[in-house]
Amino acid sequence: MNWEELLKRAPKLEAYIKHMPPDIKARSVIKVIPPGQIIHQKNYELDYFAFVCCGDHRAINEFENGNVYMIEKNEAIDFVGEVTILAGQERTSVTLETITECVLLQMPRKDFERWIKEDINLLYLIASKVAFKLYRSSSKNGATLFYPPNFLLLEYLVQYADKHMTGNKTSITVPFTRNQLEEELGINIKTLNRTVKKLKDTGMIGIIKGKLTFDKEQYNKAVAELAVLRKGANHW
């Protein structure tokens, strides 16, 4: 993939690179990474910066006991290494993994450090995106403690449906496994399985070949149920 093809696929990238120094551009490389691959591993030294120009990826935290916690899911335009570099650290604090095919524009770390000191437009755009992710994360922190698991799963399904049940679609199938949903929601697998069974028994969701399904009628019921649960939570 060349620069022209990259900008055609990722037109939003132009706002970030309009003042990119020619020598840094010459040293940058375009990489295409398949879904389900590690972009960068937690606790590894970071010697580069990259724009995630296309595709979705997730930030996860891996613990010594084998548990994996998903911190956030990100869509392009996003970055690899911006927090580590701006914090002046050598090693990354999270693992980044592709969800869909991702296209990266990668450059040496020293080049990025020089560029961001010279380009206030780039600094502003990256700082704004970092602040947005922090704001989003802060607003959700504690949700697994404050809300019951049926609220968390229904909210996730409604948000997924808002994105994918478009046009003439009247139903969706969530393509994720129970283990993936456990990471997404921060609910342990036993609690998740009990919640899925309870919601299925009450007709709030369906299951086909082990995958959760959700139609328009169930969507409307879920929206109403979430409103009731939110109201109840506000009185705790």
Side-chain angles (χ1 to χ4, degrees), residues 174-220:
V174 180
F176 306 122
T177 66
R178 298 289 172 90
N179 287 335
Q180 288 172 316
L181 288 173
E182 177 188 20
E183 293 175 16
E184 292 259 1
L185 300 172
I187 303 173
N188 70 62
I189 197 70
K190 290 183 179 179
T191 301
L192 178 61
N193 285 335
R194 287 197 298 268
T195 305
V196 167
K197 184 179 185 305
K198 180 179 177 181
L199 293 177
K200 181 181 182 297
D201 290 345
T202 56
M204 296 290 288
I205 62 173
I207 299 178
I208 297 179
K209 295 182 179 179
K211 296 293 191 296
L212 305 187
T213 63
F214 204 50
D215 60 28
K216 288 283 189 181
E217 182 179 354
Q218 290 166 331
Y219 173 90
N220 291 332

Side-chain angles (χ1 to χ4, degrees), residues 24-188:
I24 295 179
K25 181 176 180 180
R27 286 189 291 271
S28 300
V29 294
I30 300 168
K31 293 186 174 183
V32 179
I33 303 180
Q37 299 295 308
I38 298 297
I39 299 174
H40 198 85
Q41 190 78 37
K42 177 184 177 181
N43 289 331
Y44 277 50
E45 286 192 13
L46 182 77
D47 59 2
Y48 70 91
F49 168 85
F51 292 99
V52 181
C53 306
C54 306
D56 300 343
H57 69 284
R58 63 180 191 156
I60 58 178
N61 212 337
E62 302 163 289
F63 298 97
E64 292 181 1
N65 61 7
N67 289 337
V68 175
Y69 174 70
M70 193 187 79
I71 300 169
E72 60 187 5
K73 184 188 294 184
N74 297 309
E75 302 174 347
I77 300 291
D78 207 77
F79 323 106
V80 177
E82 80 286 9
V83 172
T84 300
I85 293 171
L86 292 173
Q89 301 300 307
E90 297 300 320
R91 298 175 182 271
T92 53
S93 59
V94 298
T95 293
L96 300 181
E97 180 184 49
T98 59
I99 299 171
T100 63
E101 180 184 89
C102 290
V103 179
L104 271 59
L105 176 62
Q106 184 174 310
M107 66 200 66
R109 174 172 178 161
K110 289 184 178 179
D111 281 351
F112 173 74
E113 289 174 335
R114 189 194 97 203
W115 179 18
I116 201 168
K117 289 176 182 177
E118 299 171 351
D119 187 349
I120 190 67
N121 174 70
L122 177 66
L123 177 60
Y124 172 77
L125 291 174
I126 290 180
S128 296
K129 187 63 181 280
V130 171
F132 170 76
K133 290 194 289 184
L134 178 61
Y135 179 89
R136 180 181 61 189
S137 176
S138 298
S139 68
K140 290 184 177 181
N141 279 346
T144 54
L145 299 175
F146 190 66
Y147 289 110
N150 57 321
F151 176 94
L152 298 174
L153 180 56
L154 286 176
E155 183 183 49
Y156 175 82
L157 290 173
V158 166
Q159 291 174 352
Y160 189 87
D162 286 338
K163 186 174 181 180
H164 297 280
M165 201 178 340
T166 57
N168 295 323
K169 283 187 178 181
T170 58
S171 65
I172 55 167
T173 298
V174 180
F176 306 122
T177 66
R178 298 289 172 90
N179 287 335
Q180 288 172 316
L181 288 173
E182 177 188 20
E183 293 175 16
E184 292 259 1
L185 300 172
I187 303 173
N188 70 62

